[in-house]
Amino acid sequence: MQKYFFILVIFATCSNALTFYLTEGKQRCFLDEYTANTVVIGAHQLLDKVQPNGGGVELSVLDPDNQVILTKMTNSDEGKFTFTTKKQGRYQVCLKMSNSKGWFGDKKQPLYFLRIKQGENQEFQSAAKESQITGLKQKIKSLQKQEDDFIKLQLMNRENEDKLSIENIKINDNVFNATLIQIVVIIGAGVFQIYSLRKFFAQKIYY
């Protein structure tokens, strides 16, 4: 009967890297609890250049119901895997190294590297995106309102400038007309005075 090694590791939306030894013929599993609709990304590599007969190390992922949702063979080349949780619960990432075909010799214990990163919950991510979109829409509306207010202010200033220009023209016209009348009156008064003086002196000479 195969012996299982279980290690419970708590992840908090960050990367967790482990380096450990595998033993031929034995399976080693890592447990972690995830919420539903969570994206999990992992990286793996067999660090020792010892390839067992059989093709490498088998990596498998089991859901809370112990159903295999992912399986692949790994070797000394660095690789990646990813899966999305369908339900909340404990998921297992298991590794098993095949037995050598030889009759003699100790079992191999190669060094293995495993890193698992828990991504954002897709529902939370969607909600965050919707929140960002809503925030952007509100900012756009605010900018549009500021632009409309600025345009209205510009139009009002232009209307006030037009009114002031018309009033200035009227005032200038009134000043011009008043000045013209004053000039006409002064000229008329001067002509009348000259006429009066000439008539007065003419009468003095006659007498």
Side-chain angles (χ1 to χ4, degrees):
M1 183 177 181
Q2 294 179 341
K3 183 178 180 180
Y4 291 84
F5 295 88
F6 294 99
I7 299 177
L8 178 62
V9 184
I10 305 299
F11 297 92
T13 320
C14 59
S15 179
N16 295 267
L18 299 172
T19 303
F20 50 90
Y21 290 97
L22 291 174
T23 303
E24 284 183 339
K26 293 184 179 180
Q27 182 169 263
R28 192 166 192 176
C29 295
F30 298 88
L31 288 176
D32 191 20
E33 187 164 352
Y34 300 103
T35 58
N37 299 318
T38 298
V39 177
V40 182
I41 303 171
H44 55 79
Q45 184 178 11
L46 186 63
L47 298 178
D48 289 340
K49 306 298 181 180
V50 179
Q51 292 285 354
N53 296 324
V57 177
E58 183 183 37
L59 184 148
S60 57
V61 179
L62 288 74
D63 65 9
D65 299 326
N66 288 327
Q67 299 295 321
V68 177
I69 60 175
L70 174 67
T71 181
K72 64 178 296 188
M73 295 300 297
T74 68
N75 49 37
S76 58
D77 296 330
E78 185 175 359
K80 295 181 180 180
F81 66 95
T82 181
F83 64 93
T84 302
T85 60
K86 300 298 182 182
K87 59 190 294 187
Q88 182 175 355
R90 291 185 177 181
Y91 287 76
Q92 302 178 48
V93 178
C94 297
L95 301 162
K96 183 180 179 182
M97 182 177 177
S98 303
N99 287 320
S100 299
K101 293 183 178 181
W103 291 95
F104 302 101
D106 296 333
K107 290 186 177 181
K108 297 175 182 177
Q109 291 184 327
L111 190 63
Y112 200 87
F113 169 80
L114 179 66
R115 181 177 67 245
I116 300 175
K117 180 179 180 181
Q118 176 180 331
E120 293 184 359
N121 186 289
Q122 290 183 338
E123 293 179 354
F124 294 158
Q125 194 173 9
S126 299
K129 288 182 179 178
E130 290 178 0
S131 177
Q132 290 177 355
I133 292 172
T134 302
L136 289 175
K137 287 181 178 179
Q138 291 177 350
K139 288 182 180 179
I140 292 172
K141 288 182 180 179
S142 177
L143 291 174
Q144 288 177 345
K145 186 177 182 301
Q146 291 178 2
E147 183 181 2
D148 293 339
D149 293 340
F150 179 76
I151 293 174
K152 289 179 181 178
L153 180 62
Q154 290 291 98
L155 292 174
M156 186 172 64
N157 289 334
R158 288 180 182 176
E159 290 178 358
N160 292 332
E161 289 177 358
D162 292 339
K163 290 180 180 179
L164 289 174
S165 298
I166 293 172
E167 290 178 359
N168 289 331
I169 292 172
K170 289 181 179 179
I171 292 171
N172 291 333
D173 290 341
N174 294 332
V175 171
F176 175 78
N177 292 332
T179 303
L180 183 62
I181 292 171
Q182 288 178 357
I183 292 172
V184 171
V185 170
I186 291 171
I187 292 173
V191 172
F192 178 76
Q193 288 180 356
I194 292 171
Y195 174 76
S196 298
L197 289 172
R198 288 182 66 181
K199 185 177 180 182
F200 175 76
F201 285 117
Q203 289 178 357
K204 287 287 186 181
I205 294 172
Y206 179 75
Y207 289 110

